[in-house]
Amino acid sequence: MRWDVYFTVAIVVFVVATAATLPLAVVTSRLDLPVEMTRVSGTVWKGAIDGLSVNGQTLGDAKFRVRPWSLLSGRPSAHIDFQGRGLQGAGDISFNDDLITLTDASCSADLVRFGFVDAFGQPLRGSVITELEALAFSLRQGCRRADLSVATDAVSRSLGAYAAEGFPLEGQGRCEGDALLLPLAGQGPDAAIEAELRLNKDGSYVTMLAVTPEARELGIFLAGMGFEERGGAFVT
């Protein structure tokens, strides 16, 4: 190996070592990020961000550890632990051009924190748990891969007031075109429920709720609440 190659390698090692010790606050202060942070600590390799918020919505605090060797492949990756009010999770995240991939992740969230309302106009209560093997989303092309399971007790916690017993809703997420589709289903003694969330690449979403009641009286009640009857199911 020639001396100029040695010199180049030494320069690269020096730059990488210097970058590894850069305070994270120095880096984030020079980036135009669509997020706000109350406090940043640590280095670019291992750091913490407190008071992370997007569009005025406070999410919580995050800690991460970058895998140095991933930088050599051109696909930087890190392990992230997230903790916020009614929201927590952990997983591995990687970046490749505009493709963001989340793998081996789990997340739980309290539905109350999102301000959702149920089909009857009441606050949606309960929790949602997601176990994710892989989710790849492109900013330009939308959903590229989705292998995840979702479960919620919203029927028991929120809609249980309209049924003798609540029951869980469960489903497997998948890509449908460029959209992420999350279908959920469950059945109890009073009704069967199907719910669906379609998340588009532009951030917009569409929801669907279908209830198939066992008793005629429940169907009459749902129709009075604005549900449309379709083949025995009441849909909104």
Side-chain angles (χ1 to χ4, degrees), residues 92 101-105 130-135 145-149:
D92 298 327
T101 303
L102 188 62
T103 56
D104 297 327
T130 302
E131 297 292 338
L132 190 151
E133 182 175 327
L135 175 62
R145 179 188 176 188
D147 189 355
L148 66 153
S149 61

Side-chain angles (χ1 to χ4, degrees), residues 147-186:
D147 189 355
L148 66 153
S149 61
V150 182
T152 179
D153 61 354
V155 174
S156 303
R157 294 281 304 282
S158 188
L159 304 183
Y162 307 99
E165 293 182 29
F167 48 88
L169 296 180
E170 301 174 330
Q172 299 290 128
R174 66 179 186 272
C175 291
E176 190 167 277
D178 58 10
L180 172 62
L181 189 66
L182 297 176
L184 299 172

Side-chain angles (χ1 to χ4, degrees), residues 99-137:
L99 185 68
I100 302 173
T101 303
L102 188 62
T103 56
D104 297 327
S106 61
C107 177
S108 63
D110 188 341
L111 292 172
V112 171
R113 82 178 308 279
F114 299 106
F116 294 148
V117 295
D118 62 25
F120 306 100
Q122 301 300 312
L124 187 61
R125 294 177 288 113
S127 62
V128 57
I129 299 175
T130 302
E131 297 292 338
L132 190 151
E133 182 175 327
L135 175 62
F137 205 88

Side-chain angles (χ1 to χ4, degrees), residues 39-82:
R39 190 172 74 91
V40 177
S41 60
T43 68
V44 295
W45 295 116
K46 184 178 181 180
I49 299 175
D50 298 336
L52 184 66
S53 62
V54 179
N55 295 328
Q57 294 290 327
T58 300
L59 299 179
D61 307 328
K63 295 180 180 179
F64 66 88
R65 298 189 307 275
V66 174
R67 295 182 173 86
W69 293 112
S70 67
L71 302 179
L72 299 179
S73 67
R75 297 184 58 186
S77 65
H79 179 79
I80 295 180
D81 289 282
F82 189 85

